[in-house]
Amino acid sequence: MSAGGGKKAILAALTANAGIAVAKFIGAAITGSASMLAEAVHSVADTSNQGLLLYGQRAAAKDADELHQFGYGRNRYFYSFVVALVLFTLGSVYAIYEGIHKIQHPEELSQPIVAIVILGIAIGLETFSFITAVRESRPLKGNASWWRFIRNSRSPELPVVLLEDTGALIGLVLAFGAVGLTMITGDPIFDGIGTLAIGILLGVIAIVLIVEMKSLLIGEGATPEQDRAVRENLVDGAKITSVIHLKTEYLGPEEMLVAAKVAIAPNLDIAEIAEAIDAAEVRVRAAVPTARLIYLEPDLYRTQSV
């Protein structure tokens, strides 16, 4: 994912969520709906999260220096991890607490039709954000499933926005149903049940994000497809005969480190070995553009890998 593509989806989500948050708080104040208030807090969390993602992209763009010689690309992973924590604490925990409280102490809603109208508008705005994120993600997703894209993507922003928008849309439907059932039955306990369901939903999404972002932050290697492409392009069959061992790690969403020991055919002089190494680097970068840092160690010809 390019930073530009991710930024477009983030800005769409930020704009939508900021407007939705204001509308929901107004609706919650008028109606006294707990599910509406939980959704308002959820939207505040999402808006803050988009701000964090944008800041993470900016921080990651800093040039490498003596202290961080491989650059600052992992800032994007760090701030995406913070986003997951914010979603869990500010979104999920609050909604669960509020939902339990409203189930134990139900409160009548005033002018619930206002909540219905605001939730309908919010669904429209959130759908716009979701469609933007889907459109930006399709070129990267390819033929893979959406779940596989979220699990395997080394770029954090689009999976984060996709999961947030999915959770927001489902949460809005839950809030809509909770307020609707409260209007139909006259029993405000449904509002509390809806709030609790929203909190559980946000918790599940936050945990998925925490697990995925933690893995990226610690350091993930090439995808299976990229690993295979690197191995195939390191070997030319003449001067480089095999890959003895290979290690890869993403230093940031768009920069992968490749370190390998390769078996060199016998009877090559130093110039020929250097030429073979340089050619291998060119082939690998052409096949896997994110493989920007490549360190290859030539070794004597071997009949088996170690």
Side-chain angles (χ1 to χ4, degrees):
M1 178 191 71
S2 67
K7 188 171 292 185
K8 184 175 181 181
I10 295 169
L11 289 172
L14 188 149
T15 302
N17 283 312
I20 291 169
V22 173
K24 287 176 181 176
F25 273 118
I26 293 173
I30 293 174
T31 64
S33 168
S35 58
M36 176 70 80
L37 183 59
E39 274 297 302
V41 173
H42 176 197
S43 293
V44 169
D46 282 352
T47 305
S48 302
N49 288 344
Q50 272 89 60
L52 286 169
L53 292 177
L54 289 173
Y55 183 79
Q57 286 190 343
R58 180 178 178 182
K62 291 175 60 178
D63 293 331
D65 53 33
E66 188 171 348
L67 183 61
H68 297 91
Q69 297 182 10
F70 288 113
Y72 290 82
R74 283 187 179 170
N75 269 310
R76 287 167 66 178
Y77 297 150
F78 172 75
Y79 284 100
S80 296
F81 182 74
V82 174
V83 162
L85 294 179
V86 171
L87 184 63
F88 183 80
T89 55
L90 189 57
S92 175
V93 174
Y94 173 80
I96 289 174
Y97 166 79
E98 189 69 15
I100 293 173
H101 175 73
K102 292 297 183 180
I103 291 173
Q104 293 174 337
H105 308 285
E107 297 179 8
E108 295 292 333
L109 302 185
S110 60
Q111 303 185 54
I113 191 63
V114 174
I116 293 294
V117 171
I118 290 175
L119 287 170
I121 294 172
I123 289 173
L125 291 173
E126 201 65 65
T127 299
F128 159 74
S129 174
F130 179 74
I131 290 174
T132 301
V134 168
R135 185 168 56 245
E136 293 294 312
S137 301
R138 283 192 186 281
L140 293 175
K141 184 181 80 72
N143 296 324
S145 66
W146 285 107
W147 178 244
R148 186 178 178 189
F149 168 68
I150 291 170
R151 292 297 309 273
N152 290 343
S153 176
R154 300 304 189 258
S155 298
E157 291 90 353
L158 284 176
V160 168
V161 174
L162 279 170
L163 282 175
E164 279 191 348
D165 285 352
T166 300
L169 281 171
I170 297 174
L172 286 166
V173 172
L174 290 172
F176 193 94
V179 174
L181 284 172
T182 299
M183 290 176 61
I184 293 170
T185 64
D187 189 349
I189 196 172
F190 288 106
D191 187 45
I193 294 172
T195 306
L196 180 60
I198 291 169
I200 294 171
L201 169 69
L202 295 181
V204 171
I205 291 175
I207 289 171
V208 171
L209 283 176
I210 287 171
V211 170
E212 291 303 313
M213 295 307 118
K214 171 180 172 288
S215 181
L216 288 171
L217 188 58
I218 291 173
E220 290 190 357
T223 64
E225 294 81 5
Q226 290 173 332
D227 184 275
R228 183 164 52 251
V230 170
R231 291 178 182 276
E232 289 174 352
N233 285 278
L234 282 175
V235 176
D236 62 8
K239 296 180 180 179
I240 299 179
T241 58
S242 66
V243 176
I244 298 173
H245 64 72
L246 170 68
K247 301 291 183 183
T248 61
E249 185 170 325
Y250 268 88
L251 305 174
E254 294 156 7
E255 186 172 47
M256 183 171 67
L257 169 68
V258 175
K261 178 179 286 190
V262 293
I264 301 294
N267 303 320
L268 295 181
D269 60 29
I270 296 299
E272 289 174 317
I273 293 174
E275 181 182 340
I277 294 296
D278 291 341
E281 290 181 5
V282 171
R283 292 194 301 271
V284 169
R285 289 193 177 99
V288 185
T290 54
R292 297 184 181 179
L293 292 175
I294 302 177
Y295 298 104
L296 301 180
E297 178 187 352
D299 203 350
L300 297 176
Y301 177 80
R302 302 184 181 195
T303 57
Q304 62 182 10
S305 298
V306 294

